[in-house]
Amino acid sequence: MVATVMEFDPTRPKWMQVAEVVRQRIASGVYPLHHLISEVKLEREFAAARVTVRKVTAALRAEGLIVTTPGMGSFVAVEMPATGGLAGSGGRTMLDFDPMRPRWHQVIDVIRERISDGTYPPGERVPSVLQLQEEFGIANVTAHKVHRGLRAEALINTEPGLGSFVSRQAEAENTLPCAVRPRSKWEQIADEVRSRITSGAYPPRHLISEVKLEQEFGVARVTVRKATAALREEGWIVTTPGLGSFVTVKRTADGGPSTEEE
């Protein structure tokens, strides 16, 4: 088999990126039910080491997408319905996304509420990246941001090759439903800057001065930097070392940042 020409992201483990390709093939039906997932072929196709490929199959097995039979190999374990979604995924959640807030923040709110109300109790597996994509109709990069955000709040723990689970700490710390959870100061500042960008008050190439934000909102530099870090990750601003942070030029039809996140 000819190796797949794939540009790997050097900031993420190679096995995660190969796993995403295989997940997509399963979701699209390219790999149908009972299809053999050959480790040898994956090694050759992606020019990856055996240990890398085995991390891929371990993760897919943990997500229930494949099953491994000793002496026979690994096979696709889920059947795709006519819509192309994962069978048994519960269908797509019709979430009315607020264009003023990043989608990954809004999906986090949903998962946080499910943890708070006991839908996902401590120790329970939370939806995988692929399942989040399927349920909420979001991009892969957006789903990864959901998991990173939940980990940052200590609501979930991720075990390589096993999946992500609700942390025991979440039971004590996340008793408030997301509707009444107070937003942190840096989140409020990020919301305000995002609103100014979408309204045109901060046009493309506008300098986002950390000093001015500190003075305007009466906060510490570390608080402002959390806000700019979030805006940068969402694609609203770009930072040039030695010059500062500026509103990005490219925009989608609805005025949002032109990134992979929808």
Side-chain angles (χ1 to χ4, degrees):
M1 176 178 288
V2 178
T4 294
V5 180
M6 180 175 177
E7 288 190 15
F8 287 102
D9 179 351
T11 66
R12 296 180 56 222
K14 190 172 184 177
W15 70 266
M16 287 187 179
Q17 298 175 69
V18 175
E20 287 167 6
V21 173
V22 177
R23 285 191 200 98
Q24 290 296 339
R25 291 176 182 176
I26 293 173
S28 66
V30 173
Y31 288 171
L33 182 65
H34 304 315
H35 177 85
L36 173 65
I37 305 296
S38 168
E39 291 187 348
V40 173
K41 288 183 178 179
L42 290 177
E43 286 180 59
R44 293 173 181 170
E45 180 179 357
F46 295 98
R50 176 60 62 90
V51 65
T52 301
V53 170
R54 285 189 171 166
K55 287 181 179 179
V56 173
T57 53
L60 296 171
R61 192 162 47 245
E63 295 172 19
L65 297 178
I66 66 173
V67 292
T68 300
T69 303
M72 296 184 68
S74 297
F75 302 86
V76 175
V78 293
E79 185 173 10
M80 311 310 300
T83 59
L86 291 175
S89 65
R92 176 167 293 187
T93 295
M94 300 303 293
L95 190 61
D96 186 12
F97 286 108
D98 178 354
M100 300 299 291
R101 292 183 62 214
R103 289 191 174 191
W104 65 278
H105 281 189
Q106 297 175 68
V107 175
I108 282 179
D109 287 345
V110 174
I111 303 303
R112 190 189 297 112
E113 184 171 21
R114 291 176 183 176
I115 292 173
S116 178
D117 66 17
T119 300
Y120 299 151
E124 178 83 4
R125 188 195 304 274
V126 298
S128 67
V129 167
L130 180 61
Q131 289 169 331
L132 288 175
Q133 289 178 252
E134 290 290 324
E135 180 177 355
F136 296 98
I138 56 178
N140 180 272
V141 66
T142 307
H144 275 290
K145 287 180 180 180
V146 172
H147 272 203
R148 285 201 299 271
L150 292 168
R151 280 195 297 272
E153 294 182 24
L155 293 178
I156 66 171
N157 296 314
T158 299
E159 299 291 336
L162 294 176
S164 296
F165 304 83
V166 178
S167 67
R168 298 294 173 183
Q169 185 178 347
E171 184 174 28
E173 294 189 356
N174 199 51
T175 56
L176 287 176
C178 66
V180 298
R181 186 183 70 89
R183 292 177 64 72
S184 64
K185 191 70 175 179
W186 72 264
E187 288 178 311
Q188 296 175 54
I189 294 171
D191 287 343
E192 178 60 26
V193 174
R194 200 180 295 112
S195 175
R196 293 175 184 179
I197 293 173
T198 56
S199 69
Y202 286 172
R205 298 192 180 90
H206 177 85
L207 173 65
I208 304 297
S209 169
E210 291 186 346
V211 173
K212 288 183 177 180
L213 290 177
E214 286 179 60
Q215 295 172 346
E216 178 180 355
F217 294 99
V219 295
R221 176 64 59 89
V222 65
T223 302
V224 170
R225 286 187 170 167
K226 285 182 179 180
T228 54
L231 294 167
R232 188 164 48 246
E233 183 177 18
E234 295 159 18
W236 292 102
I237 66 174
V238 61
T239 300
T240 303
L243 293 175
S245 298
F246 303 85
V247 176
T248 53
V249 176
K250 293 184 177 180
R251 285 275 167 295
T252 59
D254 61 1
S258 179
T259 67
E260 286 185 82
E261 180 178 352
E262 302 164 55

